[in-house]
């Protein structure tokens, strides 16, 4: 069987991997780049891909500033103590100060959040977690992504990111293959958001033998020589599940996400400054 | 434990193939029925089970705590926006019917097309805000948390 090479050109923003973070990235990118060409390349089917495919029963991290519950600095303090000081506090703070607006949008999109009948606030389980009926968490955020992206390529496994030969230190896109057909796919893009699942437990301040993340983000970006910011835990999940982080982590929150923090990619990317 | 297919119920429609995140539900070329090609790679995410229009897929329980005789069946109804679980225990007595909402809004109607909303202003572009912020952050109750607004300072180095 002959394999084809399929080229998708003139992309402004390419999202590699559309789990919770990537779908949110496509959505957010559409707002800041209304006339841009946004394309998603995802290894599975975005309706049920990533760590949220099976549905979740909670949102692990919600500040509840609106209800007078926590401020971002409370979360930074928690994460710092929990990880014996080994955290990027700026990233933790940034994540914490944006996470609530993502949650409020999810509720508007139809995600059923439980309420505490007495206080009217979201139902807590512990200090940080709120309870949801999250069976369709992924189909709901996938709907937002499909609405936002110009094209969604399902079943494309991205293997390499491309650098621009003519311009130093400039990203040029990504390549991968269709896991079904074996066809080779080339994506030429001005910006690439890598959200293919982060890593955790590269350093182990606390837990041993864990590590449910795919680490694909790291595998893809390390080869370009990028600095990977924080490999210890997912900052928006203080509930003892130390997992995904990565270069995009500073701008990823549970489901809502924006362009990678520029300092973690490279200076010329049209990302917004943190 | 992995999924398996009741061959008499399967009609080879391929919905499970289309959705499986692990890409392990395939259609057998001879029988034209679906099967799990790589049981040890199954994530038990139930995506295929919920997608099957004929309830032809089942999932084996873990042998250590659910050896034989139990069953966990599920029906996801997008129209009604609910998911129903039936969990039968192998002691023959406990039998649970669970119902939960999967969405509170009609599908495809409550997520705006951001291409068509008013474009962000220059100030917004230069700010630290994300879409819908600060309104959605605290729903009209204050702006974005910053170190300054929260009376904090960035200290250098490691401190406790
Ligand atoms: C079993 C389980 C239960 C959880 N429960 C909760 C909970 O109740 N509450 C909560 O808040 N959090 C929970 N979490 C954590 C949360 O689901 C994850 O942290 C979050 O979904 C991670 O999102 P992500 O976008 O970073 O990565 P992922 O969702 O993992 O997305 C990565 C995406 O990239 C794709 N991909 C990977 N490699 C490639 C490639 N080479 N090319 C193209 N695409 C690629 C993958 O298919 C996937 O879609 C749970 C996690 C698990 C595993
Ligand atoms: S349960 Fe999930 S991983 Fe297993 S076959 Fe079904 S869809 Fe695939
Ligand atoms: S979705 Fe059900 S009926 Fe369709 S191929 Fe899969 S198992 Fe068979």
């Amino acid at each position: 069987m002959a394999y084809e090479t399929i080229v998708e050109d003139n992309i402004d923003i390419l999202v590699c991997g559309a789990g919770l973070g990537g779908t949110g990235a496509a959505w957010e990118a559409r707002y800041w780049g209304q006339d841009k060409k946004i394309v998603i390349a995802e290894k599975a089917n975005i309706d049920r891909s990533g760590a949220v495919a099976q549905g979740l029963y909670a949102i692990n991290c919600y500040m509840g500033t609106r209800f007078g519950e926590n401020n971002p600095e409370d979360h930074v303090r928690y994460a710092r103590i929990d990880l014996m000081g080994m955290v990027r506090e700026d990233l933790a703070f940034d994540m914490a100060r944006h996470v609530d607006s993502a949650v409020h949008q999810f509720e508007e999109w139809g995600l059923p959040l439980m309420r505490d009948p007495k206080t009217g606030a979201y139902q807590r389980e512990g200090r940080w977690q709120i309870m949801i009926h999250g069976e369709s968490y992924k189909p709901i955020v996938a709907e937002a992504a499909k609405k936002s992206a110009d094209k969604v390529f399902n079943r494309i496994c991205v293997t390499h990111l491309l650098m621009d030969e003519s311009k130093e230190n400039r990203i040029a896109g990504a390549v991968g293959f269709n896991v079904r057909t074996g066809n080779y796919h080339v994506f030429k893009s001005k910006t690439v958001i890598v959200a293919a699942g982060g890593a955790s437990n590269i350093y182990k301040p606390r837990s041993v033998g864990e590590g449910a993340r795919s680490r694909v983000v790291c595998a893809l970006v390390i080869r370009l020589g990028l600095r990977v910011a924080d490999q210890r835990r997912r900052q928006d999940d203080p509930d003892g599940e130390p997992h995904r982080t990565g270069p995009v982590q500073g701008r990823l929150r549970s489901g809502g996400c924006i362009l990678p923090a520029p300092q973690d990619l490279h200076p010329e990317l049209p990302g917004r400054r943190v | 434990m992995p999924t398996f297919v009741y061959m008499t119920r399967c009609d080879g429609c391929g919905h499970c193939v289309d959705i499986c995140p692990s890409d392990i539900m395939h259609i057998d070329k001879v029988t034209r029925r679906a099967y799990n090609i790589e049981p040890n790679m199954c994530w038990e995410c139930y995506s295929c089970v919920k997608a099957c229009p004929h309830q032809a897929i089942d999932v084996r329980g873990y042998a250590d705590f659910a050896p034989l005789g139990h069953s966990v069946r599920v029906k996801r109804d997008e129209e009604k926006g609910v998911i129903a679980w039936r969990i039968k225990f192998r002691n023959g007595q406990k039998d649970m019917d669970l119902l939960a909402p999967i969405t509170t809004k009609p599908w495809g109607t409550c997520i705006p097309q951001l291409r068509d909303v008013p474009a962000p202003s220059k100030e917004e572009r230069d700010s630290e805000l994300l879409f819908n912020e600060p309104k959605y952050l605290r729903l009209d109750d204050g702006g974005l948390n910053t170190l300054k607004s929260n009376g904090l300072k960035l200290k250098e180095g490691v401190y406790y």
Side-chain angles (χ1 to χ4, degrees):
Chain A
M1 195 170 77
Y3 298 118
E4 282 176 57
T5 297
I6 296 158
V7 181
E8 186 70 25
D9 207 346
N10 296 318
I11 305 170
D12 293 302
I13 300 164
L14 173 68
V15 179
C16 289
L20 209 42
T23 45
W27 153 264
E28 187 80 31
R30 176 51 75 211
Y31 179 64
W32 300 102
Q34 286 180 322
D35 53 350
K36 300 291 180 229
K37 181 171 173 184
I38 302 170
V39 169
I40 292 174
E42 159 61 45
K43 174 169 65 63
N45 178 335
I46 67 164
D47 283 337
R48 289 280 182 193
S49 69
V52 59
Q54 77 288 351
L56 307 181
Y57 70 96
I59 291 174
N60 285 164
C61 189
Y62 173 74
M63 296 298 117
T65 311
R66 172 187 169 191
F67 304 110
E69 292 171 336
N70 299 294
N71 270 334
E73 57 267 30
D74 301 321
H75 181 248
V76 174
R77 196 174 305 119
Y78 169 85
R80 186 206 305 144
I81 293 169
D82 188 47
L83 285 152
M84 304 176 194
M86 286 174 54
V87 283
R88 275 276 302 270
E89 297 194 356
D90 55 334
L91 297 182
F93 185 85
D94 197 39
M95 183 85 71
R97 68 184 182 148
H98 289 295
V99 68
D100 285 15
S101 75
V103 172
H104 299 150
Q105 282 181 112
F106 291 152
E107 185 172 38
E108 195 146 291
W109 294 355
L111 184 70
L113 306 182
M114 297 182 198
R115 296 264 182 176
D116 184 326
K118 281 202 212 92
T119 65
Y122 299 134
Q123 181 70 50
R124 284 281 180 192
E125 195 190 65
R127 179 161 178 184
W128 304 105
Q129 181 160 287
I130 56 169
M131 303 311 292
I132 62 175
H133 288 292
E135 193 279 333
S136 289
Y137 206 159
K138 190 65 208 283
I140 290 169
V141 294
E143 195 184 303
K146 286 190 281 191
K147 228 170 194 159
S148 301
D150 290 283
K151 265 188 183 178
V152 177
F153 287 84
N154 282 326
R155 304 288 170 192
I156 303 291
C157 181
V158 172
T159 56
H160 297 81
L161 302 176
L162 302 176
M163 294 303 277
D164 195 329
E165 274 191 348
S166 59
K167 231 178 183 181
E168 199 199 338
N169 209 21
R170 189 105 178 84
I171 195 89
V175 293
F177 63 95
N178 185 309
V179 298
R180 296 270 167 81
T181 62
N183 287 336
Y184 188 60
H185 284 258
V186 181
F187 300 93
K188 297 189 190 174
S189 180
K190 294 201 182 83
T191 325
V192 181
I193 299 175
V194 188
S200 66
N201 297 350
I202 306 286
Y203 317 118
K204 288 179 178 161
R206 186 182 62 173
S207 58
V208 174
E210 265 186 70
R213 302 311 100 176
S214 65
R215 300 174 188 186
V216 177
V217 166
C218 310
L220 288 171
V221 302
I222 277 173
R223 278 184 285 195
L224 301 187
L226 295 187
R227 182 165 63 90
V228 179
D230 192 325
Q231 297 282 333
R232 289 170 293 275
R233 66 181 283 123
R234 197 173 60 117
Q235 301 285 5
D236 60 336
D237 178 5
D239 247 34
E241 237 183 89
H243 41 211
R244 96 107 182 354
T245 48
V248 281
Q249 178 244 27
R251 309 304 279 154
L252 275 175
R253 49 205 166 108
S254 222
C257 162
I258 191 165
L259 308 180
Q263 72 273 19
D264 286 331
L265 285 171
H266 78 82
E268 275 182 37
L269 280 179
R272 295 188 316 130
R273 303 257 148 209
V274 181
Chain B
M1 296 289 273
T3 55
F4 63 96
V5 177
Y6 295 116
M7 284 182 71
T8 47
R9 284 199 206 154
C10 172
D11 68 0
C13 70
H15 286 303
C16 54
V17 181
D18 188 45
I19 205 70
C20 173
S22 311
D23 199 19
I24 54 178
M25 291 304 290
H26 284 211
I27 305 284
D28 186 279
K29 287 197 175 66
V30 178
T31 62
R32 305 301 300 162
R33 300 287 180 271
Y35 73 116
N36 185 329
I37 60 161
E38 196 74 55
N40 57 351
M41 287 292 156
C42 179
W43 207 39
E44 301 145 47
C45 68
Y46 272 76
S47 298
C48 59
V49 180
K50 294 171 197 165
C52 176
H54 303 298
Q55 277 77 49
I57 310 175
D58 209 339
V59 179
R60 265 181 260 274
Y62 288 96
D64 50 354
F65 79 93
L68 301 178
H70 75 291
S71 110
V72 180
R73 302 295 283 160
V74 61
K75 197 158 191 291
R76 180 174 181 272
D77 191 330
E78 284 211 350
E79 299 264 295
K80 294 193 189 126
V82 291
I83 186 155
W85 294 88
R86 174 100 188 258
I87 304 172
K88 283 196 220 163
F89 287 65
R90 70 183 190 115
N91 63 9
Q93 283 155 22
K94 204 164 174 184
D95 187 341
M96 297 164 83
D97 273 313
L98 307 170
L99 192 71
I102 57 175
T103 181
T104 59
K105 305 274 169 80
W107 296 92
T109 57
C110 295
I111 301 181
Q113 171 54 266
L114 292 189
R115 212 192 281 273
D116 304 333
V117 304
S121 64
K122 174 150 189 340
E123 292 80 67
E124 279 179 88
R125 284 188 182 283
D126 292 341
S127 77
E128 299 174 3
L129 300 175
L130 301 181
F131 172 63
N132 260 341
E133 286 180 355
K135 183 168 183 279
Y136 270 58
L137 206 54
R138 299 175 178 183
L139 299 169
D140 283 339
D141 175 30
L144 185 67
N145 286 284
T146 60
L147 290 179
K148 207 169 157 210
S149 74
N150 292 18
L152 301 166
K153 274 205 188 86
L154 195 65
K155 290 179 243 169
E156 255 188 74
V158 180
Y159 59 93
Y160 290 87

